[in-house]
Amino acid sequence: GISGAIAKTLTAPMERVKLLIQTQDEIPTIIYGDLQKYNGIIDCFIRVFKEQGFMSFWRGNTANIVRYFPTAAFNFAFKDSIKALFPKYDPTNEFMMFFMCNIASGGLAGACALFFVYPLDFVRTRLAADVGKDEEDREFKGSIDCIMKIVNKGGVFAIYQGFGVSVQGIIVYRGGYFGLYDTAKRLMENAGQTGFIARFILAQVVTTLAGVFAYPFDTVRRRLMMTSGSKSAAAGSTREVVMKMYRNEGIGAFYKGCLSNILRGVGSALVLVFYDEIKDLFT
């Protein structure tokens, strides 16, 4: 838990850059021309530092850390209990059924966990996309202020804006992650490949692939989050948002910030590895 919080804190700048690039077409100051669009990762890093200051890279990180602990607990708790409801298959002789059961159980576990932590993810997104230079220019003063303002404008369900497409995305991601990882790990064990390096590489490949597959869902849900509490929220269904993105920005719109997301994931994994190595030196 502590190692995960440290990893998220150290990679928070990359995650905020990812969220800004991903949601910038729904940020009011950019829409109205008060702020220019960010032109890639490097441009975003430089401008955020100049315009908002060094500490702004950690906007929304507190909500992200708080979200991490229940997310991890719910994911694995639901994963084991839900997986027990499915029939067991031999990965060697019944590979396809074994694979599909892992995909289904992992996906359902992620969807159940999402319901409990979604408001925190919502807050994290809105705070990260708040591009005000100081407290007076910012839309929100913090997590509580964000929740209160959005609820006052749109009701309690406003902080669940985009939840439907999020469930779809979490099933794709968690299904891919748990399903592919469990399946590949079992095959590696049967082949005698159980070393740390092999498992680490496997985890990175699975995480990256699952993230890329599910990324369009993540982009759409973030865009929906950005409309919550505004006049445009009622008019923007998931289908309408998808069509608008494709029509105005092309297919690439669904993958804005994807490279930042991949780099953030690799960075988090390296931080966890180094954390474990350092911890071992003092134990």
Side-chain angles (χ1 to χ4, degrees):
I2 296 177
S3 60
I6 292 174
K8 284 191 173 296
T9 298
L10 292 178
T11 59
M14 181 60 75
E15 184 162 5
R16 186 171 186 229
V17 166
K18 171 255 185 185
L19 287 170
L20 284 171
I21 295 174
Q22 189 177 31
T23 63
Q24 63 179 329
D25 290 272
E26 295 293 342
I27 297 176
T29 51
I30 293 179
I31 294 175
Y32 298 130
D34 297 325
L35 188 70
Q36 290 184 338
K37 280 188 176 184
Y38 298 106
N39 187 25
I41 299 174
I42 296 177
D43 178 62
C44 188
F45 263 112
I46 294 173
R47 287 179 51 197
V48 168
F49 177 74
K50 288 183 177 179
E51 297 168 1
Q52 303 170 42
F54 179 70
M55 294 306 298
S56 69
F57 284 111
W58 281 268
R59 283 184 187 173
N61 187 56
T62 301
N64 203 30
I65 291 175
V66 172
R67 179 178 67 90
Y68 172 77
F69 292 97
T71 298
F74 282 132
N75 274 332
F76 287 98
F78 282 126
K79 176 176 178 281
D80 291 337
S81 59
I82 291 177
K83 191 174 182 179
L85 300 175
F86 289 80
K88 300 183 184 300
Y89 293 96
D90 184 358
T92 302
N93 300 321
E94 301 171 299
F95 175 79
M96 186 53 65
M97 293 303 299
F98 174 78
F99 175 77
M100 293 303 294
C101 281
N102 273 324
I103 289 288
S105 61
L108 287 174
C112 291
L114 180 68
F115 175 79
F116 294 98
V117 300
Y118 194 81
L120 290 171
D121 197 18
F122 178 92
V123 170
R124 195 271 182 278
T125 300
R126 293 301 296 263
L127 292 180
D130 194 342
V131 294
K133 295 181 181 180
D134 50 47
E135 189 169 306
E136 294 182 357
D137 295 330
R138 292 170 60 183
E139 184 179 4
F140 307 112
K141 296 179 181 179
S143 299
I144 302 299
D145 183 57
C146 176
I147 292 175
M148 294 301 295
K149 285 182 177 178
I150 296 299
V151 170
N152 287 336
K153 291 179 180 179
V156 175
F157 291 108
I159 58 175
Y160 278 88
Q161 182 85 348
F163 181 77
V165 71
S166 297
V167 171
Q168 298 171 39
I170 206 72
I171 288 175
V172 172
Y173 178 79
R174 291 298 177 184
Y177 181 85
F178 285 127
L180 291 172
Y181 184 76
D182 284 355
T183 301
K185 184 177 70 172
R186 182 68 63 86
L187 294 175
M188 288 175 61
E189 290 174 351
N190 291 341
Q193 300 294 327
T194 58
F196 171 78
I197 295 179
R199 288 185 286 110
F200 177 76
I201 293 176
L202 169 64
Q204 284 306 294
V205 171
V206 169
T207 300
T208 300
L209 288 176
V212 172
F213 292 152
Y215 198 80
F217 293 92
D218 185 63
T219 301
V220 172
R221 81 186 182 102
R222 303 283 183 189
R223 297 288 187 94
L224 286 166
M225 287 178 180
M226 292 299 297
T227 68
S228 186
S230 67
K231 294 180 180 180
S232 62
S237 67
T238 300
R239 181 178 180 278
E240 289 169 337
V241 168
V242 169
M243 295 305 295
K244 175 186 173 184
M245 289 174 60
Y246 180 74
R247 183 172 60 252
N248 296 341
E249 306 167 54
I251 193 68
F254 299 96
Y255 287 93
K256 286 185 176 179
C258 187
L259 178 58
S260 303
N261 195 51
I262 293 174
L263 295 175
R264 178 194 59 79
V266 174
S268 295
L270 291 175
V271 170
L272 291 174
V273 171
F274 285 125
Y275 176 86
D276 288 338
E277 291 296 324
I278 294 174
K279 186 174 65 174
D280 289 341
L281 292 176
F282 294 95
T283 57

